[in-house]
Amino acid sequence: MGTSPFSRYRYGGHFLTISSAWRGAGLLCALCVGSSVYAGTLSYSGTFTFDSDVETIPFTLTAPGVVSAITFGYGGGTNAASQVFTAGGFAPSLALYLVSDSSLQAQDALGGSVIPAGGCSNGTNEDTSVDLCLDATLNFSAAAGSYILVLSEQSVNDGLDPMSYPLPPDTNATTPPFMDVFGNQRNGQFAIDVTLPDASTGVPEPATWTLMSSGILAGVAFARRKRT
C-alpha cells in the first residue's frame, strides 16, 4: 500500500524509525493505559506547532467492528465531550494503519464538499468564512487486530498525506505554516472524536494520551539508538 509511515515519522524536528520499534513500544502502551476494555466515543484535541506534526491514537480490537472518526478543527463544532471549537484550524488528514504489517486500511485526505442546502457532504461543519468543508471522517469495518490512527495536516505540496513521504527536517511544509490548499491561512488547532466498538482495548484516555505518546516516542527513540 505504498511507503509505510512507520519508517518516516517526524517528531520534534527528527525522523524516527518506528516500524519494528512500534511493536516493542506495546509494553509502554500497556503501562500507560492498562488493560481496560472500552467501547464508545473518545474526544482528543490540541495544537500543532509545525505542518509536519502528527498525532497518533493506538487501539486494539479483540473482535471485528466499525471504527469511525470525525474532526472539528477546520470547520469547528461541538465534540462528544461537549467542547466547542471555533473554525480556523488546519485541514486534517486521517489515516488508519494495521500495526502487524503497517498497511494502510482507510484514509480521508480530502475532506468533504459544500452542499447546496448548507453544510458538508461528509457530515462535518463548513467554515463559512471560506466556504470550505475540509474536516476529515473515517468509517471503517475493521477486523480484530491492533491499529494506529494518524492525524496529520493535508499536504500542500503534492496532494499526498504528509506521512507518506519524508519532509525536510526542522522545517515547515509551508511558510507561513498551516496554509490550506486554497491559500487560506489557518492555525494549528485540531480536534477529533474516535468511536470504537465493543471489545476495544489499549485505548488511550484523553487525560493520559499525551503522557502515553511521549512514552512511546521515548521508547522508539531508544530502540532506534540501539539499532544504530
Side-chain angles (χ1 to χ4, degrees):
M1 304 285 297
T3 302
S4 165
F6 301 109
S7 61
R8 291 177 174 177
Y9 187 95
R10 183 179 186 277
Y11 180 81
H14 303 283
F15 288 104
L16 303 177
T17 301
I18 288 183
S19 184
S20 59
W22 171 256
R23 297 173 181 83
L27 175 60
L28 287 170
C29 289
L31 291 174
C32 291
V33 301
S35 58
S36 59
V37 177
Y38 183 82
T41 300
L42 289 171
S43 298
Y44 304 89
S45 61
T47 304
F48 280 5
T49 302
F50 302 105
D51 287 309
S52 49
D53 286 346
V54 297
E55 293 294 346
T56 60
I57 302 171
F59 59 90
T60 296
L61 301 184
T62 58
V66 175
V67 175
S68 61
I70 183 170
T71 68
F72 304 91
Y74 193 93
T78 303
N79 67 7
S82 300
Q83 296 170 301
V84 178
F85 298 91
T86 58
F90 62 86
S93 171
L94 292 177
L96 182 67
Y97 294 91
L98 182 64
V99 171
S100 61
D101 62 3
S102 302
S103 60
L104 178 64
Q105 301 293 299
Q107 183 177 37
D108 182 359
L110 298 175
S113 59
V114 178
I115 57 179
C120 302
S121 60
N122 62 354
T124 62
N125 294 312
E126 175 188 359
D127 183 346
T128 55
S129 68
V130 292
D131 294 324
L132 290 171
C133 293
L134 294 184
D135 272 306
T137 61
L138 279 182
N139 193 54
F140 179 70
S141 295
S146 294
Y147 295 85
I148 180 170
L149 178 63
V150 178
L151 184 151
S152 60
E153 185 184 7
Q154 289 181 12
S155 169
V156 297
N157 290 336
D158 55 13
L160 295 175
D161 185 280
M163 293 294 285
S164 66
Y165 65 95
L167 295 171
D170 300 314
T171 61
N172 289 324
T174 60
T175 303
F178 307 122
M179 297 283 288
D180 69 21
V181 294
F182 297 96
N184 300 303
Q185 180 62 64
R186 313 298 291 183
N187 61 49
Q189 168 186 263
F190 72 86
I192 179 173
D193 277 356
V194 181
T195 302
L196 298 175
D198 292 339
S200 301
T201 65
V203 186
E205 296 286 346
T208 61
W209 179 43
T210 301
L211 174 63
M212 187 213 67
S213 297
S214 300
I216 290 172
L217 290 168
V220 169
F222 175 75
R224 183 170 184 252
R225 286 197 298 270
K226 285 189 66 176
R227 286 198 301 274
T228 57

